[in-house]
Amino acid sequence: MKANELSVGDWVCAKMMVLDGEERLTPPMRVVAIGETWVHLLSDPEAGDPDEYDIEDIRPVPLTADIMFENFIEWQTRTDRYEFAWSCSEEKSLTHEISIIRRDAHWHWTFREYVWPAMAVTQLFNSVHELQHALRRAGIEKEITL
């Protein structure tokens, strides 16, 4: 990852070692500080000081249906699609929507920003920190639980 892809508060993992050609990652941790070449991650606020990792060792936490259902109980359910929509402006001219669509045994996560009457900006994402960025951009202060 790069420093400009992260924000304080993001959930990420860090590479600890490579064993038999496979990366071993830390459990998910929160970004608490970002430098040009390093990131400070904290697993438990009561555990003490954060750990420092090189930026290139940071890995995203995959976004799963379980994480979405844990954090958004308001999902509208259909057989192959889950949607969560909200409006951010009093004039209802700006609406944000997160959709999960299952196609060909794969989940597709989408963030859409609608500026009425006709413009829509769509962003696809598949990691928790990208979801966190989409929520912040929508003006939603939501604590994501893993």
Side-chain angles (χ1 to χ4, degrees), residues 56-99:
E56 63 264 6
D57 291 335
I58 302 304
R59 304 292 183 266
V61 175
L63 187 56
T64 64
D66 289 340
I67 291 172
M68 293 300 283
F69 290 123
E70 168 102 12
N71 288 279
F72 299 102
I73 57 172
E74 310 93 343
W75 288 102
Q76 303 167 13
T77 304
R78 294 185 219 156
T79 57
D80 61 350
R81 182 185 190 95
Y82 301 92
E83 294 182 324
F84 175 64
W86 63 94
S87 175
C88 266
S89 73
E90 294 175 10
E91 302 87 30
K92 306 262 186 216
S93 61
L94 182 62
T95 301
H96 299 86
E97 171 187 284
I98 293 176
S99 299

Side-chain angles (χ1 to χ4, degrees), residues 1-6 55:
M1 293 187 106
K2 299 175 187 168
N4 64 357
E5 296 175 325
L6 295 172
I55 288 273

Side-chain angles (χ1 to χ4, degrees), residues 14 17-18 30 43 57 73 75 80-81 86 100 107 117 120 129:
M17 69 176 104
V18 177
R30 284 264 168 119
S43 58
D57 291 335
I73 57 172
W75 288 102
D80 61 350
R81 182 185 190 95
W86 63 94
I100 307 173
W107 289 99
H129 80 279

Side-chain angles (χ1 to χ4, degrees), residues 5 8-9 19 21 24 27 36 49 60 62-63 65 77 79 81 98 103 105 107-108 111 121 125 129-130 137:
E5 296 175 325
V8 171
L19 185 62
R24 302 293 184 202
E36 287 184 32
D49 294 331
L63 187 56
T77 304
T79 57
R81 182 185 190 95
I98 293 176
R103 288 189 190 126
W107 289 99
H108 300 273
F111 171 77
V121 177
F125 52 90
H129 80 279
E130 291 170 328
R137 195 168 104 215

